[in-house]
Structures are given as structure tokens and as C-alpha cells.
Amino acid sequence: MKNLFDSATAEEVKERLTRLEPDSQRLWGTMNPAQALAHCSEVMEVAAGLKFPPRSLIGRLIGRFAKSSVLNEEPVRRNMPTDKSFVVKDERDALVERQRLSELIDRFSAGGPGGCTKHPHSFFGPLTPTEWSILMYKHLDHHLRQFQV
């Protein structure tokens, strides 16, 4: 399964990022490309141990059971709910956000399992570094597919 600890996969994602234009049309969701990039960066900051959001109540109740439905070979489905703390509503500069996300991908990928957070995911709970890496790839892939890149 693809994950961001694999340097070829990280490079593939970064190449796809270069094809995302500020005016790319979305197939689903409400965020524009710049907002989606900022959203992805905020999630990458969690995986890299730079932010520590609290566990959600619903996550505490069902998160561990839902984990297997996301950490599988299937792409993340359209219109999955987003934790309100990760929704970006203000206007952003797509080029600035793309650079920020690319740097976070590099940091996470180069850091490997040792550079990954030990903090539990806000919904799924405890994850191994490999599970974090798979989840981050799948999350980025989800948003790149959202804009057909």
C-alpha cells in the first residue's frame, strides 16, 4: 500500500501538486484549491507532531472500528466528513500553500517512522507510524483526485 515514507510515493504526490492550479475545478466538496492545500498542510502538521488536536467524542466511540474502512486499498470516498477544526474558510494563496505542503511532505517523508507523531489521531485514535504514513498518502490522494490531478 502506498505511503509517504516511500520517497517515490512522496515525489509522485509532489509532482501531482504542481498540476493543481489556483482555478482548478473541484468534483466535490466546498474548498477551493488553495483552501484544500492549507487543509492538507494542517493535517500533515498533526502527523509530523507539530499540532496536537484533542480526540473527538465520536472518534472515541467508533474511531477504532472505522480505521480499517479507511486504511485499506480503496481510495478515500468522496464527501467524507471533515473535522470542523480542519476546515479552511478564509482565502489563501495557492502557490504559498502548495509550497508549504510540499515542504511538510518532505519533512514527514525524510523523518520516517521516528519523525512521526506519537499522539493519537483525533478520530481513529492510536496509529502506528506506518498507518499515519498510509493515511497521509490517502488523504492527499483524496484531495488531489478532488481536483482531478
Side-chain angles (χ1 to χ4, degrees):
M1 195 172 322
K2 288 188 174 187
N3 73 78
L4 290 184
F5 293 149
D6 175 60
S7 59
T9 300
E11 288 304 315
E12 170 210 318
V13 170
K14 290 182 358 184
E15 187 279 322
R16 289 171 66 191
L17 283 176
T18 66
R19 293 187 271 139
L20 181 60
E21 298 294 331
D23 61 349
S24 293
Q25 297 300 303
R26 63 182 173 263
L27 297 176
W28 68 85
T30 60
M31 289 185 279
N32 65 35
Q35 292 166 329
L37 289 165
H39 161 79
C40 288
S41 289
E42 290 181 19
V43 174
M44 286 296 303
E45 287 175 341
V46 172
L50 302 173
K51 288 187 175 182
F52 306 97
R55 293 285 312 273
S56 66
L57 177 60
I58 190 75
R60 288 181 186 276
L61 296 173
I62 66 168
R64 69 175 181 231
F65 303 110
K67 184 167 66 168
S68 63
S69 69
V70 174
L71 291 175
N72 58 34
E73 293 290 335
E74 298 297 316
V76 175
R77 69 179 207 267
R78 295 178 176 200
N79 294 314
M80 289 287 285
T82 301
D83 182 313
K84 289 179 180 20
S85 68
F86 291 110
V87 174
V88 177
K89 292 184 179 180
D90 59 314
E91 289 304 313
R92 304 288 180 103
D93 181 318
L95 300 178
V96 169
E97 295 301 335
R98 181 168 51 200
Q99 182 62 35
R100 176 178 165 220
L101 180 54
S102 183
E103 290 170 4
L104 283 164
I105 292 168
D106 284 342
R107 177 185 178 140
F108 183 81
S109 180
C116 187
T117 189
K118 310 257 185 295
H119 193 76
H121 187 275
S122 61
F123 182 77
F124 297 117
L127 297 175
T128 67
T130 299
E131 288 172 331
W132 272 107
S133 186
I134 291 167
L135 185 61
M136 290 305 96
Y137 168 76
K138 290 187 74 162
H139 182 248
L140 293 168
D141 175 66
H142 170 77
H143 286 290
L144 291 169
R145 285 185 300 105
Q146 178 183 15
F147 294 98
Q148 302 180 71
V149 294

